Each structure stands twice: as structure tokens, then as C-alpha cells.
């Protein structure tokens, strides 16, 4: 995807209802994408049915912007980031 196309799409796409955002954001850190995330999880459960032997790993993606769940890990190469 080109950068221009990404900019055009990001200007018009929205996952949040701003009318009740303040109320939801006090208790939920991912309030802006909660609805999208829940629908995505339902789709993933239909598409993927893992067996009993599953390994889960985590990764820190470097990120220095504003985010309520950003983490600071001083001993890592990417000191600020989001764990996925």
C-alpha cells in the first residue's frame, strides 16, 4: 500500500463512537478499538482452531508516540514500545 493511499484511508476510517468516548475511556484503555477488537476475535475463533499443543510468544514493537499501554523496558534495544 502506498503512503498516499494510507493517508487517504486513515482520514476517513474510524472505529470509535466519539459521543460516549469519555465515559468508556475511564475504565477501558482500548476503548477506541474495543468494538473492532471483539468482532475480530469472533472471526479469528471461526478461522483458527488450534490443537492442544500451542506455543505463544510475545514481542515488543518499538513505539514512541502517545499510548496509554505503552511500556518502558530499559534493558531492551527498543526501550519504549507496545507488547504484542
Amino acid at each position: 500500500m502506498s503512503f498516499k493511499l494510507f493517508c487517504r484511508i486513515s482520514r476517513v476510517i474510524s472505529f470509535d463512537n466519539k459521543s460516549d468516548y469519555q465515559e468508556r475511556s475511564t475504565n477501558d484503555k482500548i476503548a477506541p478499538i474495543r468494538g473492532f477488537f471483539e468482532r475480530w476475535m469472533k472471526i479469528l475463533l471461526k478461522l483458527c482452531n488450534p490443537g492442544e499443543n500451542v506455543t505463544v510468544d510475545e514481542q515488543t514493537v518499538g513505539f514512541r508516540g502517545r499510548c496509554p499501554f505503552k511500556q518502558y523496558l530499559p534493558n531492551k534495544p527498543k526501550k519504549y514500545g507496545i507488547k504484542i
Side-chain angles (χ1 to χ4, degrees):
M1 178 186 305
S2 71
F3 181 69
K4 279 184 160 183
L5 179 60
F6 173 77
C7 287
R8 279 192 226 149
I9 292 172
S10 65
R11 274 188 229 126
V12 296
I13 196 167
S14 177
F15 297 108
D16 194 23
N17 181 3
K18 292 184 179 184
S19 62
D20 61 346
Y21 172 73
Q22 292 296 330
E23 177 185 321
R24 289 181 293 117
S25 66
T26 57
N27 299 326
D28 189 7
K29 290 188 176 186
I30 63 167
I33 61 166
R34 171 65 63 192
F36 172 77
F37 182 74
E38 288 174 356
R39 286 189 301 252
W40 178 248
M41 291 304 294
K42 286 180 186 177
I43 292 170
L44 286 179
L45 289 174
K46 290 178 185 177
L47 295 176
C48 180
N49 188 5
E52 60 185 55
N53 300 321
V54 177
T55 302
V56 178
D57 196 12
E58 64 183 30
Q59 174 183 2
T60 302
V61 177
F63 181 74
R64 283 189 145 315
R66 291 189 304 178
C67 178
F69 46 90
K70 178 177 65 175
Q71 294 186 336
Y72 173 68
L73 304 166
N75 298 330
K76 300 288 182 177
K78 298 174 186 171
K79 296 186 182 339
Y80 292 93
I82 298 172
K83 271 191 186 174
I84 58 172

